[in-house]
Amino acid sequence: MSKKTNPPNKIHGVAHVFAAAAYSWAGVKRLWGETAFRHETLAACIIIFIFILIQANINFVILAILLILITFSVEALNTAIEEIADMVSPEWSLPAKHAKDLGSLAVFCMLCANGIFAAFVILTTFNWI
């Protein structure tokens, strides 16, 4: 019976938390290279600024931040899908196109959710609905 051992260079304990943070920061730096992510970040800042400017309910601001973070997560996953599709299928292929299109659809759905929520908050704050 052999003993199971950890793979070499496996990080444990508190160092693992710092390593995970470094991996996440590397992901942010990679994602910042995407024009779409920079536009989404700008839109997010504008939405939060408008909510603060119109003195929207704090619950709405918190929900907007959560929606924005989910959007960033979906954008990161979409970018990961595109990277993997490009690596696995450097030539044009229908499955790679479908994977990229589906990732883009997911991001688009999140952008629509953010826009609808922002419109709802603005209309509600001014008692227009």
Side-chain angles (χ1 to χ4, degrees):
M1 190 155 143
S2 66
K3 246 184 168 179
K4 194 172 185 180
T5 59
N6 290 326
N9 302 326
K10 180 82 173 163
I11 300 172
H12 297 283
V14 176
H16 178 74
V17 174
F18 291 107
Y23 302 145
S24 295
W25 182 246
V28 169
K29 289 193 304 187
R30 167 59 188 92
L31 202 53
W32 191 253
E34 294 288 319
T35 302
F37 179 70
R38 293 193 305 273
H39 290 166
E40 291 158 3
T41 303
L42 176 62
C45 291
I46 291 170
I47 287 171
I48 298 301
F49 176 75
I50 289 171
F51 283 10
I52 292 169
L53 190 67
I54 67 172
Q55 298 179 344
N57 184 307
I58 188 67
N59 294 330
F60 289 153
V61 175
I62 291 169
L63 282 172
I65 291 169
L66 289 174
L67 266 177
I68 289 163
L69 290 174
I70 293 169
T71 302
F72 290 168
S73 300
V74 172
E75 181 64 50
L77 292 172
N78 180 47
T79 300
I81 289 167
E82 290 176 353
E83 293 270 343
I84 291 170
D86 288 344
M87 181 187 70
V88 172
S89 182
E91 311 287 318
W92 186 90
S93 73
L94 188 59
K97 179 188 181 316
H98 287 167
K100 290 180 173 190
D101 289 348
L102 290 167
S104 294
L105 172 64
V107 172
F108 178 73
C109 289
M110 285 306 307
L111 294 175
C112 288
N114 278 274
I116 291 167
F117 183 70
F120 169 78
V121 171
I122 292 167
L123 294 173
T124 302
T125 301
F126 289 116
N127 291 319
W128 292 342
I129 58 169

